Amino acid sequence: MTADTIPDTPMFDRARQLRGYRLNKATMALRFPERRDAFRRDPAAYLDSYGLTAEEKRAALACDWRELVRLGGNVFYVLKLSAIYPAKMTEIGAHQAGIEHETFLRERLGKK
Amino acid sequence: MAILVGGLGCSHVPSIGAALDKGLMQTPDWKPFFDGIGPGRDWVAAQRPDIAVAIFNDHGNAFFLDRVPTFAVGCADRYEIADEGWGPRPLPAFDGDAAFGWHLADTLVANSFDPTVLQEVEVDHGLQVPMELFWGRPAARWPVRVVPIFVNVIQQPTPLPSRCYAFGAALRQAIDSFPGDARIVVLGTGGLSHQLQGARAGFVNPAADRAFLADIARDPEKLASMSREDYVRVFGSEGAELIMWLVMRGALDRAVRVCHSHYFVPASMTGVGMLVLENAAKAI
């Protein structure tokens, strides 16, 4: 699969892998406690040290999940930002779907 | 020779691990799920496997995009618990079985599968959650040795479903030819339907999930003949990881009996399943 053939479903293909490489590397590194400490001390400097562009930095600092995925972020890497800025997986999902959280839980996941 | 005692299937949703860590099993959100896992745990307790061959995927904790093995086999005697960003979960490290890991690598290559051979590698919720659901949380040491098989289900190209099924047949050959009398169980993990990325995030497909749990027992060829795109369409972009259950199923005989099947939706954003299969030819 090289192109998205299923609507609203970004496949993590060659183009996204290349586009998101630095972003995914910066966020995956948050699995190390000392990297988390470095991020907390100076988030912008942390992201600069991985060579992120201004728009990638903006998206990471704002936890703009939809934008992070658009920039080639894969959820399993960028998700680690939520170790710094707490967010539930369902909130991350609702943000990408462009739906308010409670509505997302009810309409997509069948929660009462 | 070693004995194959059965095949297990289980979701590996991280929020199940969080529910276990926080003791939320009896809350309204979680009770219907945890109430259904008892028979799976009882089966494992009665069968007392010595080795669990666990098929799962890493979630950005062991492998970065600089190297992405399509299939990788753990050949170590120990696997540490990964820190996924929130500190390592309070679980003991897993004991491995290097002898079986190497024998599996040998057997796979002899069958034209060429896995990456792993030594020091940490294991994340993809392995931890199914192990805890079936074995419970041990105070000090897991009562079973683990041989992890990592499958790339994140970066395209992911392996074909049919290839995963054939991989399972080679795994079976390794079990049947392993000297000694170890009791071995095969554990396929992941799924069921879920999508975590894109505007279709939150997609679940309970009807397809229930059909999958039935078909994996009675008609695995149907599931093995689906395309990767079919899996994404039917089960969601992350639910497509269900191809890992086909490795487990491929290790079993064509005829199996279902000892336990449990389904619940949603756990966080995922349909979750637990399945216990035995070869029909196995004495009860």
Side-chain angles (χ1 to χ4, degrees):
Chain A
M1 280 180 273
T2 53
D4 293 338
T5 52
I6 299 166
D8 300 326
T9 300
M11 298 310 299
F12 196 58
D13 57 10
R14 174 180 171 175
R16 285 199 176 84
Q17 200 266 23
L18 290 170
R19 178 69 184 84
Y21 195 90
R22 291 178 315 264
L23 180 58
N24 289 316
K25 187 172 184 176
T27 47
M28 179 175 169
L30 295 172
R31 75 192 189 283
F32 297 117
E34 64 275 18
R35 295 279 75 203
R36 296 196 288 275
D37 291 343
F39 189 106
R40 289 191 183 98
R41 272 197 306 274
D42 190 339
Y46 175 94
L47 297 172
D48 281 338
S49 73
Y50 289 91
L52 265 56
T53 65
E55 70 174 348
E56 289 165 349
K57 280 172 63 181
R58 229 177 1 254
L61 293 172
C63 288
D64 186 341
W65 305 107
R66 192 174 3 188
E67 180 70 354
L68 287 164
V69 171
R70 190 185 72 79
L71 294 171
N74 179 280
V75 71
F76 295 119
Y77 303 102
V78 298
L79 178 64
K80 294 188 192 301
L81 283 168
S82 70
I84 307 286
Y85 306 116
K88 293 178 184 169
M89 190 63 238
T90 49
E91 292 168 343
I92 295 170
H95 182 267
Q96 294 177 81
I99 301 176
E100 189 269 331
H101 188 233
E102 290 304 314
T103 310
F104 178 83
L105 293 179
R106 200 171 53 245
E107 292 183 357
R108 299 239 168 149
L109 299 169
K111 299 277 270 193
K112 302 287 185 256
Chain B
M1 293 297 156
I3 300 157
L4 175 64
V5 297
L8 310 174
C10 192
S11 302
H12 60 223
V13 186
S15 65
I16 295 174
L20 288 161
D21 292 347
K22 295 174 187 165
L24 303 178
M25 291 80 85
Q26 292 304 309
T27 61
D29 271 356
W30 285 108
K31 186 171 166 38
F33 170 66
F34 284 101
D35 279 356
I37 70 167
R41 206 172 270 193
D42 293 345
W43 185 90
V44 163
Q47 293 294 325
R48 291 171 290 100
D50 301 302
I51 299 173
V53 180
I55 303 103
F56 73 109
N57 66 289
D58 176 62
H59 303 79
N61 296 299
F63 305 125
F64 181 56
L65 303 171
D66 58 339
R67 58 206 77 190
V68 180
T70 300
F71 293 106
V73 173
C75 294
D77 275 323
R78 186 177 170 87
Y79 301 97
E80 300 292 338
I81 302 296
D83 177 348
E84 303 187 36
W86 293 263
R89 296 181 55 231
L91 298 172
F94 293 93
D95 290 328
D97 192 307
F100 184 77
W102 282 107
H103 174 72
L104 175 57
D106 287 340
T107 309
L108 288 168
V109 171
N111 282 275
S112 302
F113 285 92
D114 308 303
T116 299
V117 172
L118 302 172
Q119 289 300 330
E120 291 182 67
V121 63
E122 295 180 353
V123 291
D124 69 13
H125 66 268
L127 176 69
Q128 297 164 18
V129 167
M131 290 300 296
E132 185 169 358
L133 289 176
F134 277 109
W135 275 268
R137 183 174 300 191
R141 197 167 182 190
W142 293 90
V144 61
R145 300 186 296 280
V146 169
V147 174
I149 297 174
F150 293 78
V151 182
N152 166 42
V153 292
I154 293 177
Q155 176 179 292
Q156 303 300 319
T158 54
L160 294 172
S162 58
R163 190 73 174 150
C164 291
Y165 191 51
F167 189 105
L171 164 59
R172 172 62 177 277
Q173 200 182 108
I175 293 169
D176 288 346
S177 61
F178 187 54
D181 56 2
R183 298 170 63 78
I184 300 183
V185 71
V186 179
L187 168 59
T189 77
L192 286 50
S193 63
H194 63 300
Q195 179 153 336
L196 308 180
Q197 312 192 73
R200 196 187 183 224
F203 171 81
V204 287
N205 194 344
D209 288 344
R210 291 181 190 281
F212 180 90
L213 289 171
D215 287 340
I216 192 83
R218 71 185 172 204
D219 195 2
E221 288 83 8
K222 180 169 114 185
L223 298 173
S225 67
M226 288 167 62
S227 71
R228 290 170 292 182
E229 193 177 343
D230 289 336
Y231 272 83
V232 174
R233 182 177 295 108
V234 174
F235 299 107
S237 52
E238 280 64 48
E241 70 189 10
L242 269 173
I243 59 171
M244 294 188 291
W245 288 46
L246 289 169
V247 177
M248 173 277 287
R249 185 61 182 90
L252 299 179
D253 291 352
R254 179 61 185 78
V256 295
R257 65 174 156 264
V258 178
C259 301
H260 180 54
S261 180
H262 174 49
Y263 180 69
F264 171 77
V265 65
S268 184
M269 285 166 66
T270 304
V272 294
M274 179 189 239
L275 189 68
V276 179
L277 303 176
E278 287 182 353
N279 286 335
K282 180 186 169 193
I284 297 178

